[in-house]
Amino acid sequence: MTVSEKYPLLDSINFPADLRALPADQLPQVAEELRRYLTHTVSQSGGHFSAGLGTVELTVALHYVFNTPYDPLVWDVGHQAYPHKILTGRKDKMPTIRTLNGICAFPNREESEYDAFGVGHSSTSISAALGMAIASQLKGEKRHCVAIIGDGSITGGMAFEAMNHAGDIGANMLVVLNDNDMSISPNVGALNKYLTKVISSRLYSSVREESKKVLSVMPNVWELARRTEEHVKGMIAPGTLFEELGFNYIGPIDGHDVETLVSTLENIKDLSGPVFLHVVTQKGKGYEPAEKDPLAYHGVPAFDPKQDSLPKAASVHPTYTQVFGKWLCDMAATDERLLGITPAMREGSGLVEFSKRYPARYFDVAIAEQHAVTLAAGQACLGMKPVVAIYSTFLQRAYDQLIHDVAIQNLDVLFALDRAGLVGPDGPTHAGVFDISFCAVFRIWC
Ligand code: HTL
Ligand code: MG
């Protein structure tokens, strides 16, 4: 079979302008071919996989509706942006992703004008897109500035700092929440529970629309119902939290129905003020083994797509992560004060066994490195022995907490830094190359 027989539409798309030339009813087929091509290339190169499978339709719809790259799309973290790379001039380079001289694992401004912002660490997209929205307005330009953020990444404090600002100034921007109910591991936290409640209350809102029609002919009853609703709204009505922050909340909508995505985006594209579109997707969508186990397929080595499992890494020596995980369990057995903290990296930091054996002393705080460090400081104040298990690169985000909340107060917090040094395939955003220099300054307090 020739390439064009396999991917008749995708072959004709080198840039989003080619996509935009197609009639909308061909988009489901584009999405099908894109997902198949993504599976084909990632199975050769390895890399981030299940997140990209979940954003196929969203990527097609965004590039179809918006005038990229003039309208900037800011992908949060960027591990879900492989379909975006395929549609923006890098289709043939996909097999080189994450290799020396190949294309980057994450969006990178030097690599393509379609990569509006360099990413790798999470929760930056709303700030960056807001900055672009403000700059565009000051320059008298009419760009649509879009942030696409996952339900895991929106747990990071920066996302709320940005929404706090955007809602206040009424900036013209769109935040798309890609809600798949997963971080790398299952997502955690009160916000995650809230989002689940918003999705499940869809039924409530359609019932409400129906009753409105009946009640509107009886004004007094309707007024009473409206007041009662205001009361109840805070608990169950969709969108309340984001509306309270000044956003026009729309959704939730099905993130795998490309035609609905396109028509919704067309409708909301020119709304003024900050808009929040809640899109529900499935991590691993369309490739059965990844649908069943999105965590295992989050980042993969090269694999055979016909097999329903991944090749096992044949390691003779235990890894740092394994040694650390065992050490933590051993120490916890001897000291009840020992606590284990991870900002959303349970598997990567070797905390799976600890989380099962000591659930009351285990804290996955979501993607919140700053909070993880200051939380440990607070625990240490009352004599506990917190261990913050964290990747070197992500500790960078909590540098002030390290100095101000731990070091200056001379608190007993143990930091277990994973992935120190060069990390290779993930590239510069994930390399743990600054820890020795930035931690060396603490000697003055020791
Ligand atoms: N902490 C910070 C500040 N940034 C990153 N990137 C991580 C940790 C590690 N990380 C990822 S992807 C990811 C984490 C925690 C999960 C993101 O969940 P989200 O996206 O819901 O936003 P989804 O995978 O599509 O569900 C990487 O380093 C790639
Ligand atoms: Mg997610």
Side-chain angles (χ1 to χ4, degrees):
M1 200 189 279
T2 66
V3 169
S4 51
E5 282 168 345
K6 271 172 131 177
Y7 303 105
L9 287 180
L10 193 60
D11 277 348
S12 70
I13 302 168
N14 290 316
F15 289 97
D18 306 321
L19 175 74
R20 294 194 275 267
L22 296 174
D25 63 7
Q26 294 203 324
L27 298 183
Q29 192 188 328
V30 172
E32 187 278 320
E33 292 178 24
L34 180 56
R35 182 169 278 116
R36 210 158 20 90
Y37 185 68
L38 175 74
T39 307
H40 171 68
T41 56
V42 178
S43 70
Q44 290 180 338
S45 61
H48 289 104
F49 189 36
S50 52
L53 285 168
T55 53
V56 165
E57 287 80 7
L58 185 56
T59 308
V60 171
L62 286 166
H63 280 293
Y64 193 74
V65 171
F66 291 103
N67 180 24
T68 55
Y70 185 75
D71 291 341
L73 301 182
V74 183
W75 296 94
D76 208 281
V77 184
H79 64 307
Q80 78 292 56
Y82 289 28
H84 156 87
K85 293 206 176 207
I86 295 171
L87 293 182
T88 53
R90 288 162 280 182
K91 194 169 49 181
D92 300 333
K93 297 202 178 103
M94 287 309 286
T96 73
I97 199 162
R98 304 166 101 229
T99 59
L100 183 65
N101 302 323
I103 57 173
C104 303
F106 299 95
N108 179 316
R109 282 168 54 81
E110 278 176 24
E111 188 176 289
S112 164
E113 60 178 335
Y114 290 88
D115 292 358
F117 198 64
V119 274
H121 289 198
S122 77
S123 321
T124 60
S125 62
I126 307 179
S127 298
L130 174 58
M132 292 172 195
I134 292 171
S136 154
Q137 194 185 9
L138 290 173
K139 290 170 76 184
E141 297 171 349
K142 281 208 176 321
R143 297 181 196 245
H144 297 96
C145 301
V146 185
I148 307 106
I149 185 163
D151 56 306
S153 299
I154 206 168
T155 60
M158 249 188 103
F160 283 85
E161 293 170 31
M163 283 192 283
N164 184 44
H165 185 193
D168 185 37
I169 63 174
N172 291 327
M173 70 178 300
L174 170 63
V175 173
V176 178
L177 174 66
N178 169 27
D179 186 356
N180 56 18
D181 199 21
M182 287 291 287
S183 192
I184 292 181
S185 10
N187 202 5
V188 295
L191 181 69
N192 181 54
K193 288 190 189 129
Y194 173 76
L195 291 173
T196 308
K197 205 157 67 177
V198 168
I199 295 169
S200 59
S201 65
R202 255 192 309 182
L203 181 64
Y204 162 80
S205 66
S206 52
V207 170
R208 195 182 50 168
E209 285 308 310
E210 285 307 306
S211 52
K212 211 189 258 179
K213 281 181 215 145
V214 181
L215 290 172
S216 57
V217 291
M218 297 180 281
N220 290 339
V221 183
W222 171 237
E223 178 54 23
L224 181 67
R226 196 193 61 76
R227 274 197 253 132
T228 315
E229 184 190 83
E230 284 300 305
H231 208 68
V232 182
K233 218 178 163 193
M235 287 183 289
I236 47 177
T240 307
L241 173 64
F242 304 102
E243 279 165 1
E244 294 300 334
L245 286 171
F247 279 73
N248 186 351
Y249 171 92
I250 290 146
I253 61 168
D254 178 356
H256 298 302
D257 177 348
V258 69
E259 284 164 299
T260 299
L261 282 170
V262 166
S263 58
T264 308
L265 289 168
E266 292 283 7
N267 284 338
I268 65 177
K269 179 172 156 180
D270 292 315
L271 291 177
S272 57
V275 178
F276 190 98
L277 177 64
H278 189 173
V279 173
V280 179
T281 61
Q282 180 182 12
K283 202 162 172 175
K285 176 75 178 175
Y287 179 68
E288 210 186 318
E291 285 186 2
K292 283 192 183 141
D293 193 351
L295 195 161
Y297 283 82
H298 176 84
V300 294
F303 65 99
D304 177 358
K306 293 194 194 72
Q307 303 288 325
D308 57 8
S309 64
L310 294 167
K312 297 260 174 303
S315 156
V316 201
H317 305 293
T319 60
Y320 163 83
T321 309
Q322 289 164 338
V323 173
F324 165 71
K326 184 168 179 329
W327 173 87
L328 195 67
C329 288
D330 291 350
M331 290 297 120
T334 61
D335 190 343
E336 283 188 352
R337 295 169 302 169
L338 188 139
L339 310 174
I341 301 172
T342 171
M345 301 299 281
R346 181 183 64 188
E347 280 72 17
S349 300
L351 290 183
V352 175
E353 186 58 29
F354 180 84
S355 70
K356 288 185 192 150
R357 279 211 232 164
Y358 302 101
R361 289 150 68 185
Y362 164 75
F363 303 92
D364 176 351
V365 299
I367 311 182
E369 287 79 9
Q370 304 180 12
H371 166 61
V373 173
T374 306
L375 175 80
Q379 292 167 337
C381 286
L382 294 198
M384 304 306 275
K385 300 281 177 199
V387 178
V388 180
I390 190 165
Y391 281 22
S392 166
T393 187
F394 301 135
L395 182 60
Q396 286 166 201
R397 183 153 291 185
Y399 192 47
D400 186 56
Q401 284 72 11
L402 205 53
I403 296 177
H404 179 269
D405 299 335
V406 179
I408 290 181
Q409 307 192 65
N410 212 10
L411 287 167
D412 190 1
V413 176
L414 184 73
F415 290 89
L417 271 59
D418 206 316
R419 307 303 198 276
L422 289 173
V423 293
D426 270 348
T429 56
H430 282 59
V433 286
F434 299 113
D435 50 15
I436 292 179
S437 14
F438 75 63
C439 289
V441 300
F442 300 131
R443 260 179 292 166
I444 54 178
W445 284 292
C446 295

